[in-house]
Structures are given as C-alpha cells and as structure tokens.
Amino acid sequence: TTHLSEIVKRHSFEFIGRQEVQQLLDNLQETHPKVVEELIPNLLPLGGVVKVLQNLLREQVPIRDLLAILETLADWAPVTKDLDMLTEHVRQALARTISKMYIAHDGTLPVLTLGHSVESAVAAAVQPTDQGSMFALDPNLAQNIVEKLAQLMEKAAALNYQPVVVCSAQIRGHFKKLVDQFIPNVTVLSYDEILAHIEIQTFGVLELNNAN
C-alpha cells in the first residue's frame, strides 16, 4: 500500500487536466470569485494554469493552497507568460510548505550547493525564445556536472543524509530537468524557497573544477 501511494504521488501530475482544474476553480470561485475572474482568462488561459499545477505536482509540491497559487499567478502573469518562470514564482510563494517537506528531524536542512562555475555554465545555456526559455547545455559539460553531483550524493548517503540541491531560482528548473535525466528523485530547490530562519547544513559544493 505504501509503495502504491508513493507511485500515485509521483505520478499525480498525470491525473490532473483541464476538467479537474476547472472543478477546483469552481470550488474556489464560491469563496474568492474575484481572484478566479481576474486571472482566467484575462491574464492566463485555463491551459496555462493546468500546466503550472502539473509542474508543481511533478516535483511533489502540494497544490492545496490554491488561493495562494492563483494570487501569485495573477501578480506575475502581467509580467511574463513563460509558464516555467511563473511556476518558479509560485514555488517561492509556497516557500513555507516546501521548506517543511525537507527539514531534517533536528530542524536543519542538509544541502549540496552549486558553485559559481556550475551556476554560470547552466545560466549561459538558457536561451530565451518566443515559446519560453530553451536549455542547451554541452553534452560533455552536462555529463561532467552529473558525475560530480553523483559523487557528492554518494558521500552524503554514506553519512545517512539525503541532501537537497540548492541553486538560484533563475536556473533551478533547468538544472532539475538535467538531473532528472540521469539521477532520479533528486530534490532541487532555489534559495528563495528556503525560509530565512532555517539552518542550512552544507555537505558539499558542486564545482566544475573540483567536487569538494
């Protein structure tokens, strides 16, 4: 049963579409009609909201606080229509929820951070297009980054820790997609998703020249 519920949780984004989201919106509209009316379809079509919710669920971020999600989308949709960027803004608005998901029993957050060389390399590979941002990282560079990350994860696992990877919000989504191709179930957070009072315990810094 536990295994089945875990599978359902990991694939929950596949079970939510336009019909399911419309039902959620209809329920919310009974108590907060202005929020729904302002956002859809004036600022963002229904399909865009569906995509953002799917993006959240794909990384197991709960969407129970639908009001906060829609209010954030209403704030940022006039600025950008890039759904990946909108997802990042929503994640930051849900920082309290996301932080609680990964705090250790002692109240600390075990992390691996990206060094300047990796941050810069990933950021340079992000190219803006009319359909949103495109990520094109040199395959050899990608392999180098993933191998060094795997080494750091193994070292942390040997100490009975499963750290999250922390990086800037600008590259978080792209780095997560890169890692998912090679190492499953690695959590990638941005600094903006971690509450200020949480004590961060760093287990390593991922650099291109040396995995510390």
Side-chain angles (χ1 to χ4, degrees):
T1 302
T2 302
H3 179 64
L4 179 60
S5 63
E6 184 66 21
I7 292 175
V8 171
K9 183 179 178 182
R10 292 195 177 280
H11 294 273
S12 58
F13 68 93
E14 298 177 2
F15 304 138
I16 188 167
R18 281 175 167 79
Q19 188 63 40
E20 291 76 19
V21 172
Q22 186 61 61
Q23 291 176 358
L24 294 174
L25 295 175
D26 290 343
N27 292 336
L28 184 63
Q29 194 161 15
E30 294 180 3
T31 54
H32 298 82
K34 290 297 183 183
V35 176
V36 179
E37 292 169 4
E38 178 187 356
L39 179 63
I40 305 165
N42 298 325
L43 298 177
L44 204 62
L46 176 61
V49 177
V50 172
K51 178 64 175 177
V52 170
L53 295 180
Q54 288 175 338
N55 287 344
L56 296 171
L57 291 173
R58 185 177 282 107
E59 296 188 50
Q60 273 106 74
V61 176
I63 60 171
R64 288 188 295 270
D65 194 353
L66 188 61
L67 177 60
I69 293 172
L70 295 188
E71 287 181 333
T72 304
L73 290 176
D75 288 339
W76 287 98
V79 179
T80 178
K81 293 298 187 286
D82 186 321
L83 298 179
D84 289 335
M85 291 184 64
L86 288 174
T87 300
E88 295 304 312
H89 288 301
V90 170
R91 288 177 62 99
Q92 292 162 29
L94 300 177
R96 184 173 300 279
T97 297
I98 293 175
S99 293
K100 287 181 179 179
M101 293 170 61
Y102 301 106
I103 294 176
H105 295 301
D106 60 1
T108 64
L109 181 66
V111 307
L112 296 173
T113 62
L114 300 191
H116 178 71
S117 60
V118 176
E119 283 264 0
S120 298
V122 174
V126 179
Q127 304 296 330
T129 70
D130 293 338
Q131 289 74 40
S133 55
M134 182 180 69
F135 185 55
L137 186 65
D138 176 82
N140 292 329
L141 188 56
Q143 182 179 359
N144 189 6
I145 291 173
V146 171
E147 287 177 352
K148 291 183 181 299
L149 175 60
Q151 293 170 8
L152 288 173
M153 295 294 290
E154 289 174 4
K155 289 180 180 179
L159 299 173
N160 293 321
Y161 282 95
Q162 188 175 4
V164 302
V165 178
V166 181
C167 61
S168 65
Q170 288 72 24
I171 69 165
R172 191 212 69 83
H174 298 290
F175 189 80
K176 170 63 175 173
K177 291 175 183 177
L178 168 65
V179 173
D180 278 350
Q181 298 177 53
F182 305 96
I183 311 176
N185 305 328
V186 173
T187 299
V188 181
L189 304 181
S190 76
Y191 292 102
D192 296 328
E193 297 166 21
I194 301 173
L195 297 179
H197 72 271
I198 295 177
E199 180 182 349
I200 293 178
Q201 187 176 9
T202 303
F203 280 85
V205 180
L206 177 58
E207 291 281 13
L208 287 176
N209 56 345
N210 183 28
N212 295 318

